Amino acid sequence: MDRRQFMIGSGLAASAALVGSNASAQTYPSQMVRIVVPFSGGSMTDILARTVAEKLATKWKQQVIVENRPGIAGVSSIAKGPADGSQIMLTSNGHSVVGVVNKNLGFDPIKDFAAISRVATTAVILIVPPDAPFKTLAEFIAAAKAKPDGLSYSSAGVGSSTGIAAELFKSLTGTKMVLVPHRGQPESQVSVMRGDTSMAFTFFNVGGDLIQSGKLRALAVTSKTRLPQLPDVPTFAEAGLPDFAYDSWFGMLAAGATPKPIVSQIARDLAEVLTDPALVQQYAAQGVSITSSTPDAFEAELRSDSERYGKLVAAASG
């Protein structure tokens, strides 16, 4: 085959592949779609995933189910799973540092995934047991500094969204505490509620009822202004720690080899269903901001967070 024939053949092959990808996007989804959540049921990620699944099922006129696969097994199932959009994942910003926490993953948390879109952001709240001796953030920090490793904190693991918040908090305050990892956010909260651990971070739509009922005590929230639902809980700036700025995001990913037309379509459809005023209002009442982004913007955010929090988490886990 001469050079001209080779170039024509290559061009035809590339055109055929492009047509095939576009055609698959136009017919997507042609089967049930599974949204994998790498956290336990009742977690913030799980709650969002079930809302998104219901909206997309209506939009697509196709069954969309949520499956909880807590831990690395769930994340790996997406990285190594079908790259056709039939299986996607909704996760938190802890995904950006999962490779730092787990050295032998067998996959790359950035390169082996296709970023689809951000779904939501929310502030995090520092909680302590209801009968804890410290009633303010300043008192808690003083107690932690007075006895290094004398206090403990719970989270869904050092690489989880609330785990990152805890590591950032320790770094900024110069405190040392013992991590007690749990399977998910609900379990982490129960640990604090029982007094088994001294502190944790949570989200309003997961722990708000427990805070309002007095089963947990909230010391500060990372939002710029106080949450209307918790008017007596100061922001970290008001409580004396203005440098602690941290919001947790939640977003959707697919297998890295998923065709771009399919990724783009999921992103567009997701952006459309997330503009539902009733949905936005429902989550706003829970302290959650519903938002979306382009695949490129979300990938840039993933890479930025991996760089920003990677060293912090590496120090905590190593």
Side-chain angles (χ1 to χ4, degrees):
M1 180 184 294
D2 61 26
R3 177 179 175 82
R4 182 171 176 275
Q5 289 176 313
F6 175 78
M7 292 178 65
I8 292 174
S10 298
L12 289 173
S15 298
L18 180 59
V19 170
S21 293
N22 286 332
S24 64
Q26 290 171 4
T27 58
Y28 176 86
S30 58
Q31 59 181 312
M32 180 186 73
V33 176
R34 191 183 310 272
I35 299 179
V36 172
V37 175
F39 299 100
S40 61
S43 63
M44 171 74 170
T45 317
D46 176 69
I47 293 170
L48 280 167
R50 294 181 188 281
T51 299
V52 168
E54 181 181 353
K55 294 293 183 181
L56 287 178
T58 301
K59 168 72 177 174
W60 289 337
K61 296 179 173 57
Q62 187 65 257
Q63 187 179 13
V64 181
I65 66 170
V66 174
E67 183 173 326
N68 297 94
R69 299 179 191 168
I72 296 302
V75 183
S76 178
S77 70
I78 298 298
K80 300 178 180 181
D84 57 4
S86 63
Q87 185 170 276
I88 52 184
M89 178 173 72
L90 203 150
T91 189
S92 72
N93 55 341
H95 180 82
S96 61
V97 298
V98 70
V100 177
V101 181
N102 303 273
K103 305 298 183 182
N104 301 307
L105 283 178
F107 61 85
D108 188 297
I110 305 298
K111 296 178 181 179
D112 291 336
F113 290 83
I116 297 175
S117 174
R118 193 203 294 188
V119 171
T121 60
T122 186
V124 294
I125 307 166
L126 192 157
I127 53 173
V128 298
D131 57 353
F134 18 80
K135 294 180 172 57
T136 66
L137 181 66
E139 290 176 354
F140 178 82
I141 294 173
K145 286 185 173 181
K147 193 175 182 182
D149 288 331
L151 300 183
S152 60
Y153 66 103
S154 60
S155 76
V158 69
S160 66
S161 183
T162 52
I164 294 174
E167 298 311 321
L168 182 59
F169 175 78
K170 290 195 301 174
S171 176
L172 287 172
T173 57
T175 54
K176 293 183 178 181
M177 293 179 282
V178 177
L179 169 63
V180 182
H182 288 74
R183 188 181 181 203
Q185 189 57 34
E187 295 86 350
S188 172
Q189 288 183 162
V190 170
S191 174
V192 177
M193 190 166 57
R194 290 176 176 172
D196 296 337
T197 47
S198 310
M199 180 273 278
F201 282 93
T202 191
F203 314 107
F204 180 79
N205 77 325
V206 177
D209 289 345
L210 296 174
I211 295 170
Q212 291 173 326
S213 64
K215 294 179 180 178
L216 287 170
R217 179 186 296 163
L219 299 186
V221 60
T222 59
S223 52
K224 293 181 180 179
T225 59
R226 295 191 183 197
L227 295 180
Q229 302 88 343
L230 299 174
D232 296 329
V233 179
T235 66
F236 273 89
E238 291 175 324
L241 196 62
D243 293 335
F244 188 63
Y246 178 85
D247 280 340
S248 181
W249 57 250
F250 302 83
M252 188 169 284
L253 302 166
T258 304
K260 286 188 176 181
I262 289 181
V263 170
S264 296
Q265 182 181 330
I266 298 174
R268 287 193 300 269
D269 291 344
L270 187 58
E272 181 180 326
V273 301
L274 291 180
T275 59
D276 179 358
L279 173 64
V280 173
Q281 185 175 0
Q282 171 193 341
Y283 273 95
Q286 301 173 31
V288 179
S289 175
I290 296 297
T291 181
S292 63
S293 61
T294 65
D296 287 346
F298 188 39
E299 181 179 357
E301 186 169 22
L302 273 173
R303 292 182 180 277
S304 175
D305 276 11
S306 180
E307 175 68 23
R308 181 183 180 190
Y309 298 122
K311 294 180 181 178
L312 179 70
V313 172
S317 58

